[in-house]
Amino acid sequence: MARTRSKANATKKVTHRVAAKKSVRVSARPGAAKHGTVRQTKPIDLYYWSTPNGWKITIMLEECGLPYKVTPVNIAAGEQFKPDFLHIAPNNRMPAIVDPQGPGGRPISVFESGAILQYLGRKTGKFYPADERQRVEVDQWLFWQMGGLGPMAGQANHFRHYAPSPIDYAIKRYTDEVNRLFGVMNKRLADREFLAGKYSIADMACIGWTNPWERLGQDINEFPHLKRWREAIYARPAAKRGLEVRVANAPQVNMHDPAVRAVLFNQRAR
Ligand SMILES: N[C@@H](CCC(=O)N[C@@H](CS)C(=O)NCC(=O)O)C(=O)O
């Protein structure tokens, strides 16, 4: 079982050890350079802050039993703009990973949470089916999250809680859009256990974005299938562990602090 050893100082490297499986299956998709099994002997470096986008990756790493090492990226302190991090993640956003045992046995870095989930899914052959029809099912809901649920929930959260003065139009627009998206998910989950049928990276991408349903102005009880799905994911020990990976001082971030707001909001090209 994975053990999280969090440290008070988020700028230090925090090591989260997971039970490393002896071998990790490499995806058998057509055209893959290498088939068979690889032994993940070196931990994957995860650049992380505990947010819904970060949890996607901790859930997947925990579910796959891959060893990983968490390097906190304190986005409230501007660590996402450090040159070393930008080299890995040019969009100055976490999460990102460096897999020391990438294709051909050489290191590879990946940014964008959806791309990381797909990469780990192909690498392990887990939670991302190789069968094309099943893969399309997963991809649809993964991209639905990346282009819809995540950005809309992010804007709803921003305008509901962080705007310097309330803008009714923006609050209504994004709260309604989250409501619509929750409705889409609820309908989808009415006749299947998970978004793509079987549990997959699409579910991992979405779960964290449904956690703050109250902050997003929603009542989860209006979405019974969504509620049931949330409970099914939280009943998975690995998913729960992934969702519990915290950086010790993250909750202390004061979003009303002008210095934090200057880092996180209204950035322009640099
Ligand atoms: N599309 C990106 C979004 C990542 C993202 O927005 N990360 C946020 C935290 S949830 C971040 O790093 N923010 C830093 C900033 O806004 O400067 C992904 O899915 O990886």
Side-chain angles (χ1 to χ4, degrees), residues 50-67:
S50 46
T51 74
N53 284 321
W55 296 327
K56 296 173 188 176
I57 314 306
T58 47
I59 295 170
M60 181 63 169
L61 291 164
E62 292 282 348
E63 289 279 14
C64 293
L66 285 165

Side-chain angles (χ1 to χ4, degrees), residues 26-65:
V26 171
S27 161
R29 81 197 143 88
K34 194 178 171 191
H35 293 222
T37 58
V38 288
R39 203 174 124 90
Q40 187 78 26
T41 51
K42 298 176 190 161
I44 290 174
D45 280 313
L46 170 62
Y47 294 82
Y48 176 80
W49 198 243
S50 46
T51 74
N53 284 321
W55 296 327
K56 296 173 188 176
I57 314 306
T58 47
I59 295 170
M60 181 63 169
L61 291 164
E62 292 282 348
E63 289 279 14
C64 293

Side-chain angles (χ1 to χ4, degrees), residues 65-130:
L66 285 165
Y68 65 103
K69 195 174 72 185
V70 172
T71 298
V73 180
N74 186 342
I75 58 176
E79 289 181 4
Q80 67 273 39
F81 295 105
K82 285 187 174 172
D84 282 359
F85 181 66
L86 289 176
H87 189 64
I88 295 164
N91 192 39
N92 62 261
R93 301 211 158 180
M94 70 90 227
I97 62 164
V98 176
D99 179 1
Q101 291 172 259
R106 296 192 310 281
I108 188 170
S109 65
V110 192
F111 73 99
E112 277 295 320
S113 58
I116 299 169
L117 288 172
Q118 289 178 322
Y119 169 76
L120 293 174
R122 288 191 302 268
K123 176 185 173 89
T124 60
K126 290 180 176 172
F127 309 110
Y128 191 38

Side-chain angles (χ1 to χ4, degrees), residues 145-241:
Q145 188 287 316
M146 295 298 297
L149 182 63
M152 295 303 121
Q155 296 302 326
N157 189 46
H158 182 92
F159 285 108
R160 293 179 65 85
H161 302 286
Y162 303 144
S165 52
I167 305 167
D168 290 345
Y169 179 80
I171 291 173
K172 180 164 167 37
R173 172 172 164 75
Y174 291 112
T175 304
D176 283 353
E177 183 61 359
V178 172
N179 188 270
R180 185 188 72 79
L181 291 163
F182 274 23
V184 171
M185 254 176 131
N186 192 56
K187 206 172 271 178
R188 173 75 179 175
L189 291 164
D191 61 355
R192 73 206 79 212
E193 201 178 356
F194 296 104
L195 289 167
K198 283 190 184 154
Y199 180 59
S200 74
I201 56 174
D203 302 292
M204 299 178 202
C206 291
I207 181 71
W209 287 102
T210 65
N211 280 1
W213 52 268
E214 276 178 297
R215 274 180 75 76
L216 298 173
Q218 311 301 324
D219 178 0
I220 198 71
N221 296 310
E222 285 175 14
F223 306 99
H225 307 298
L226 178 57
K227 194 175 173 191
R228 190 266 312 144
W229 167 87
R230 283 179 44 76
E231 287 163 3
I233 295 177
Y234 269 90
R236 297 180 66 90
K240 194 162 178 297
R241 282 199 302 278

